[in-house]
Amino acid sequence: MSLTRREFLAQTAATTALAGLPLATLAQTAATDTLKAEAGSRGLLVGCCVHAKSLQSDPAYAALVKQQMNILVAENEFKFGPIHPQPTTFYFDDADYIINFAEKNGMKMRGHNFVWHRALPPWFATDVTPANAEQVLVNHIETVAGRYKGRIHSWDVVNEAIQVSDNLPNGMRNSPWQKILPSYIDIAFRTARRVDPHALLTYNDYDIEGEDAASTAKRAAVLDLVRGMQKRGVPIDAIGIQSHLHAGPKYTYGPALEQFMKDVQSLGLKMMLTEMDVNDRDLPADIPTRDAAVADLYSSYLKTTLANKNVLALLTWGITDKYTWLNHEGARKDGLPERSLPFDADLKPKPAFSSELVALKAARHG
Ligand code: XIL
């Protein structure tokens, strides 16, 4: 086998990075193993969010995504503001680029998202009123879901609609949509089903993972939301558990999430871990300490969650620390870059990669 210089360097880098791992882990991790090989052979999807611009400008990043993943989601390019910048103008170039990249490389694609309280275009505040909001929402979903119909594995139809501390009935978030069109959730899901009948329709949210009181309240509100939708005959197929986790002694994950996942399962819904990363802002600066703690959390969290047979997919919110959103939101106070993802900023595998691989190997699907 002859290697190009770049391949040789990449392979050496991978071996060097793995040399720091505990022996037991290393023994289970060959430098040639990929996430998609492990996931694929167990009927699981594994992926990450990507940006169109980086796929275009950074070939080593694009190659790594292609090598490891079998499902992608756009980090921002399918969101309302980016894709619908003016009332009657849609911008599809970046979203098209990503879905074409996915399809060219045999990967599935998630659609994220139709409804969120963030990433709304400026015209939302000036042009959308209670009188036209339903028409705006339906038109948006018809246009976006209509363009990509049949090509999307699962749509995040509604994202982050619950915020119990806003004190509205049923834990609803006091979002721009809620204020203007209180029935937006039902409308969005019914429209998505009509337009793209074979895609899985997902409700996606964060802070439902922990053992703390706020997560407990949010989990209860999510289950109530699903029960209410089912009672009203509103279609919903899956829950997206974002999985933005925190490393450090303040945070614990385990039995409460496991129980929630059983409850979701008994309502007949699938689940996806849609945006996993581990924020290391509460850990000291030392890199081996941070990498070990982050990797430990990947291991324990994935052991718990992948044990549930209704989990279809695991996506991390990025693949490399080079582009993690956490450097812009929730960043470390010491200003050091976050180390939240399976590959470091030089695209070398970290202990978290090994944790993810081992967890996928241990998952008994398919
Ligand atoms: C984040 C992106 O990563 C950032 O680039 C953007 O500035 C803000 O949104 N939950 C979600 C994602 O559902 O869409 C968010 O993505 C992260 C939190």
Side-chain angles (χ1 to χ4, degrees), residues 75-76 79 112-113 116 118 159-160 204 242 244 275 317 325 329:
E75 183 158 3
N76 291 303
K79 290 173 183 170
H112 175 78
N113 53 60
W116 194 26
R118 295 178 57 185
N159 196 35
E160 304 181 356
N204 192 49
Q242 288 189 6
H244 291 293
E275 307 186 9
W317 205 238
W325 73 300
E329 280 187 44

Side-chain angles (χ1 to χ4, degrees), residues 173-328:
R173 180 187 291 278
N174 194 16
S175 73
W177 284 109
Q178 176 70 30
K179 285 180 196 154
I180 228 158
L181 184 66
S183 56
Y184 72 95
I185 297 181
D186 290 9
I187 295 169
F189 276 87
R190 288 190 203 278
T191 308
R193 178 67 98 227
R194 170 168 58 77
V195 178
D196 193 3
H198 300 300
L200 294 174
L201 304 186
T202 305
Y203 174 76
N204 192 49
D205 214 331
Y206 69 103
D207 275 359
I208 48 179
E209 300 85 2
E211 297 287 307
D212 56 296
S215 294
T216 302
K218 198 152 176 179
R219 279 188 291 268
V222 171
L223 292 173
D224 280 352
L225 174 69
V226 172
R227 288 191 196 102
M229 289 173 71
Q230 290 183 330
K231 221 190 276 166
R232 298 190 295 277
V234 179
I236 176 166
D237 305 305
I239 296 295
I241 303 170
Q242 288 189 6
S243 310
H244 291 293
L245 309 182
H246 288 258
K250 277 198 296 194
Y251 307 93
T252 48
Y253 305 93
L257 177 60
E258 214 176 325
Q259 184 55 51
F260 170 77
M261 294 179 75
K262 285 187 186 142
D263 294 342
V264 171
Q265 192 175 15
S266 60
L267 291 171
L269 268 59
K270 304 292 188 197
M271 283 160 274
M272 285 167 260
L273 312 172
T274 50
E275 307 186 9
M276 184 173 182
D277 54 17
V278 175
N279 194 324
D280 67 14
R281 57 174 297 162
D282 293 332
L283 299 178
D286 174 64
I287 287 181
T289 306
R290 286 158 68 191
D291 284 1
V294 168
D296 274 358
L297 188 46
Y298 269 84
S299 294
S300 59
Y301 185 79
L302 290 176
K303 192 169 169 207
T304 303
T305 50
L306 294 181
N308 188 301
K309 299 290 177 279
N310 277 25
V311 173
L312 302 178
L314 154 63
L315 293 94
T316 45
W317 205 238
I319 187 169
T320 155
D321 295 338
K322 185 174 184 181
Y323 299 125
T324 174
W325 73 300
L326 294 175
N327 288 336
H328 311 287

Side-chain angles (χ1 to χ4, degrees), residues 93-107:
D93 291 6
D94 291 340
D96 283 356
Y97 186 87
I98 295 174
I99 194 169
N100 290 335
F101 176 89
E103 288 175 348
K104 214 170 53 200
N105 293 299
M107 299 157 156

Side-chain angles (χ1 to χ4, degrees), residues 146-164:
R147 182 177 184 88
Y148 299 114
K149 74 164 180 255
R151 301 165 70 189
I152 297 288
H153 168 266
S154 45
W155 289 106
D156 287 336
V157 178
V158 174
N159 196 35
E160 304 181 356
I162 293 167
Q163 179 67 7
V164 178

